[in-house]
Amino acid sequence: MSLGSLPLFVRLNGRPVILVGEGEPAEAKRRLLDRAGAQVVGEEAQAALAIVAIEDEDKAQAAIARLKARGVLVNAVDRPAACDFTLPAIVERGPVIVAIGTGGVSAGLAAALRQRLETLLPAGLGTLAEGLYAARAGLRARFPDGAERRRAIGAALSPGGALDPLAGETDVAAWLAGVARPAAQVATFVLTSTDPDDLTLRQARALAAADRVYHRVDVPPAILDRARADAVRIASDALPTEPGEGQIVDLAMDLRA
């Protein structure tokens, strides 16, 4: 499964961004750029990014062409086909930023999803993130191995865990004082569908947390894509006798069910 766009978070503080256009659409983009600390400049300035918010089609296309000819990456308001990058709907909780994008296809859908997420994500989420950042030295001391450290944090942040982010838990220091070394786990699944949307919640969570994924050769890439990007994928006829430490997922297919 390919990505239509690669989501990126760009630090714009103090950097120039070209904004071309007038009226409310342009002002809305200006407010967003101001929040990000960007230096809003005109078309003649030098910048890597530009936003074109011009209502007239001919004038908009002319501005887009001029900017792209200079090698500037362009966001064109209400013209997704002309966009080199799009601006997502945003949910902000301190340093935690959740971005919802539709590739410019439907800003209304992105806004509706943002409104739903606003009700789900507790206000203390930023405090939790800052606590985890402050605990980095303590986490490294408790779990010198990086993979083990990631598993411990993953277990704490899982649903019902000591630092469940949706439960409003924020006391990282108390968790770190009592946390034990996470045990190795092996989860074996026989899948009855090649559609990743048919994965159960347990299967999806196991893949998202896996360090290694052993799989038969007929498990489709779309299923394997649901695993962590840095999880090791190993094609094998069966789960090895000693699959290793950490979170292991073993996948087989049975489409007869």
Side-chain angles (χ1 to χ4, degrees):
M1 183 182 297
S2 61
L3 290 171
S5 300
L6 178 64
L8 297 172
F9 287 87
V10 182
R11 297 184 184 276
L12 292 178
N13 191 34
R15 294 182 175 180
V17 176
I18 295 168
L19 177 61
V20 183
E22 298 179 350
E24 181 52 32
E27 287 305 308
K29 301 305 182 186
R30 182 183 297 275
R31 290 192 293 269
L32 184 61
L33 292 172
D34 286 343
R35 285 179 61 193
Q39 178 188 359
V40 180
V41 296
E43 184 179 345
E44 301 307 317
Q46 294 297 314
L49 302 177
I51 297 176
V52 175
I54 300 175
E55 185 171 347
D56 182 87
E57 184 65 21
D58 291 338
K59 292 181 179 179
Q61 292 297 340
I64 292 167
R66 290 194 301 270
L67 290 162
K68 290 193 174 188
R70 292 166 47 188
V72 180
L73 297 177
V74 175
N75 170 268
V77 176
D78 292 333
R79 297 174 178 88
C83 290
D84 297 308
F85 69 96
T86 56
L87 298 173
I90 295 172
V91 180
E92 185 179 7
R93 296 288 186 273
V96 178
I97 299 174
V98 179
I100 307 104
T102 62
V105 172
S106 175
L109 175 58
L113 293 173
R114 177 188 61 78
Q115 291 166 7
R116 296 283 187 91
L117 289 173
E118 287 280 7
T119 65
L120 292 174
L121 301 181
L125 201 57
T127 301
L128 173 60
E130 290 165 351
L132 288 167
Y133 181 80
R136 288 179 303 159
L139 281 163
R140 284 194 295 269
R142 177 64 65 88
F143 304 106
D145 179 73
E148 190 174 80
R149 184 164 61 248
R150 181 190 56 76
R151 290 194 296 272
I153 295 172
L157 295 172
S158 64
L163 297 175
D164 183 346
L166 297 188
E169 303 291 346
T170 61
D171 196 343
V172 177
W175 163 73
L176 185 57
V179 65
R181 180 180 180 181
Q185 294 183 2
V186 177
T188 298
F189 302 112
V190 177
L191 306 178
T192 59
S193 170
T194 59
D195 187 343
D197 289 336
D198 290 334
L199 291 169
T200 67
L201 183 58
R202 179 168 176 263
Q203 291 166 346
R205 285 176 174 170
L207 282 168
D211 295 298
R212 282 181 296 285
V213 179
Y214 292 91
H215 63 92
R216 309 301 84 81
V217 294
D218 57 347
V219 175
I223 296 288
L224 298 177
D225 284 346
R226 292 298 179 92
R228 291 174 42 243
D230 55 350
V232 179
R233 280 82 161 161
I234 304 170
S236 62
D237 293 332
L239 180 69
T241 304
E242 296 183 2
E245 296 185 352
Q247 305 296 305
I248 310 298
V249 171
D250 183 53
L251 297 178
M253 297 297 304
D254 185 356
L255 300 180
R256 297 171 299 176

